[in-house]
Amino acid sequence: MDLLSPLLEKKLASTLSFPPDLAATWLADGVLQLIPQESKSSTLIISAGIHGNETAPIEILLRLLAQLVQGHLSLQHNLLLILGNVPAMRESKRYIDNDLNRMFGGRYQNFPSGNETQRAVELESVIQRFFQEPAVIASTRRWHLDLHTAIRGSCHEQFALLPFQQREYAPELLQWLDGSDIDAMVFHKSEGGTFSQFTSQYFNVDSCTMEIGKVYPFGQNDLTKFSNITAALQNLITGTFSVKRQKPEIKRYRVADSIIKQDNSFRLHIPQDTKNFTALSDGFEIASQENQSWKIASPANFILFPNANVAIGLRAGLLLEQII
Ligand SMILES: [Zn+2]
């Protein structure tokens, strides 16, 4: 069942008809609420395509949706499926005007009005509406998995980013991430404008951003590379979680410092193709701008998401330390 063409042609909502035991409501373009007739104590949000060119998660989400429509997956949660930035998907772009995943928690106000600011407003209100559903209010467990792929190569191909939160991370979520066979987890130490931060902070959801591989155009993804994630998501949806870890022990990191680009003098002193989680030597000047320089200081030796081409005021990289 091909759902990608209907999505890109704005025909997804009219294409689908659901089994009678699922109450389906489109809350916005690309945002589908599915509430099982039999009440569930658990709520799950799965989002993909917050960056429009990150196609593998979109294809995986559409595959899960097709299986739900066909009755091949028995839904054990109140579920919200979100295709994040549909206009950017149609243009095979990360975003049209600005990076949507920096705008949540009201930060859209700091950006000129455009496609993504409108979508951030819409997604925030959609989440609010979803959590006002009686079935969802009653649920005792709330998870949000925001699926992404990375622009660059990575020493750890698949990893999760846990938003900053003052309460403890849910052991069940960490266990599921471990079982899903991803390679690493990264814990944020301060609030950011990501979608997973928003649901965690404002709705007490156990949330994370998952980076599951590398960016390729639609149709060029080798979906077998994502079989561990797909299986873990299918198991989660059906409540039959049985995935066992096959890979070596998962690595854990925490964010030690954020490199923020403040003006046009900003430079990153590493090659363009530096992989995520590359270990850098003590004392190495990784970035500089007019009145500031960042030098590597142990134990924060690892670079994540280095990108000098971000807008001024935004994050151009994270320095991580490994948690032993
Ligand atoms: Zn992304």
Side-chain angles (χ1 to χ4, degrees):
M1 186 183 227
D2 168 38
L3 296 183
L4 182 59
S5 317
L7 171 70
L8 298 179
E9 291 160 17
K10 292 193 173 193
K11 290 180 191 152
L12 189 56
S14 57
T15 305
L16 300 176
S17 61
F18 288 86
D21 58 343
L22 286 182
T25 315
W26 290 91
L27 301 185
D29 186 22
V31 183
L32 176 64
Q33 170 182 293
L34 290 174
I35 307 285
Q37 207 169 45
E38 193 184 307
S39 79
K40 304 294 175 193
S41 62
S42 166
T43 289
L44 177 62
I45 303 171
I46 306 175
S47 50
I50 289 291
H51 293 132
N53 63 342
E54 296 177 1
T55 56
I58 299 163
E59 291 179 33
I60 291 169
L61 191 148
L62 291 175
R63 181 182 282 194
L64 296 172
L65 176 56
Q67 290 168 337
L68 285 163
V69 167
Q70 290 164 326
H72 296 163
L73 291 177
S74 161
L75 180 60
Q76 298 303 313
H77 312 261
N78 308 301
L79 179 66
L80 190 66
L81 292 176
I82 300 175
L83 293 147
N85 195 341
V86 185
M89 288 174 207
R90 294 189 182 113
E91 295 190 26
S92 304
K93 285 181 174 169
R94 183 172 170 84
Y95 51 77
I96 306 283
D97 299 307
N98 275 294
D99 191 336
L100 177 57
N101 213 25
R102 302 288 178 272
M103 291 184 181
F104 290 95
R107 289 172 183 77
Y108 49 79
Q109 291 163 7
N110 306 331
F111 293 82
S113 176
N115 172 62
E116 284 77 19
T117 57
Q118 285 168 25
R119 187 60 164 170
V121 171
E122 183 170 53
L123 289 181
E124 289 196 359
S125 79
V126 153
I127 296 286
Q128 194 157 20
R129 183 173 157 195
F130 178 61
F131 281 113
Q132 284 164 357
E133 275 290 322
V136 177
I137 291 172
S139 64
T140 51
R141 194 178 79 168
R142 302 169 160 198
W143 282 20
H144 174 202
L145 307 170
D146 185 32
L147 309 179
H148 289 249
T149 45
I151 305 168
R152 61 187 57 246
S154 182
C155 300
H156 301 307
E157 178 87 6
Q158 298 180 325
F159 55 98
L161 296 138
L162 284 297
F164 171 75
Q165 57 189 45
Q166 265 154 1
R167 63 189 192 278
E168 247 190 273
Y169 293 98
E172 273 186 311
L173 175 63
L174 301 185
Q175 207 177 348
W176 179 81
L177 289 169
D178 187 71
S180 72
D181 246 354
I182 59 168
D183 304 292
M185 293 189 232
V186 177
F187 295 85
H188 275 286
K189 70 160 190 181
S190 57
E191 292 167 11
T194 63
F195 199 17
S196 61
Q197 175 77 54
F198 172 72
T199 51
S200 163
Q201 189 174 339
Y202 294 95
F203 297 91
N204 268 326
V205 180
D206 296 312
S207 306
C208 75
T209 304
M210 294 183 78
E211 297 282 353
I212 63 171
K214 226 183 146 193
V215 166
Y216 291 102
F218 279 120
Q220 291 183 30
N221 290 299
D222 174 2
L223 287 186
T224 60
K225 280 191 172 175
F226 307 101
S227 55
N228 59 324
I229 301 290
T230 309
L233 289 170
Q234 287 167 333
N235 281 334
L236 178 63
I237 286 172
T238 56
T240 54
F241 188 60
S242 59
V243 181
K244 289 273 180 300
R245 189 165 184 83
Q246 315 255 323
K247 286 186 185 169
E249 201 179 333
I250 196 163
K251 302 275 196 305
R252 288 170 172 242
Y253 297 83
R254 83 174 129 238
V255 175
D257 201 2
S258 298
I259 301 174
I260 308 292
K261 177 175 174 175
Q262 299 290 15
D263 55 55
N264 282 326
S265 69
F266 182 86
R267 297 285 178 273
L268 268 178
H269 307 298
I270 48 172
Q272 282 272 357
D273 59 352
T274 301
K275 288 183 174 178
N276 283 328
F277 298 96
T278 295
L280 300 161
S281 317
D282 272 353
F284 172 69
E285 185 185 64
I286 181 165
S288 60
Q289 56 198 356
E290 215 162 77
N291 296 315
Q292 199 172 10
S293 135
W294 283 268
K295 285 195 173 139
I296 299 295
S298 183
N301 292 85
F302 303 89
I303 180 69
L304 183 61
F305 302 137
N307 183 4
N309 296 323
V310 295
I312 287 171
L314 291 190
R315 180 187 85 193
L318 293 171
L319 292 169
L320 309 180
E321 64 180 270
Q322 197 169 350
I323 308 169
I324 310 296

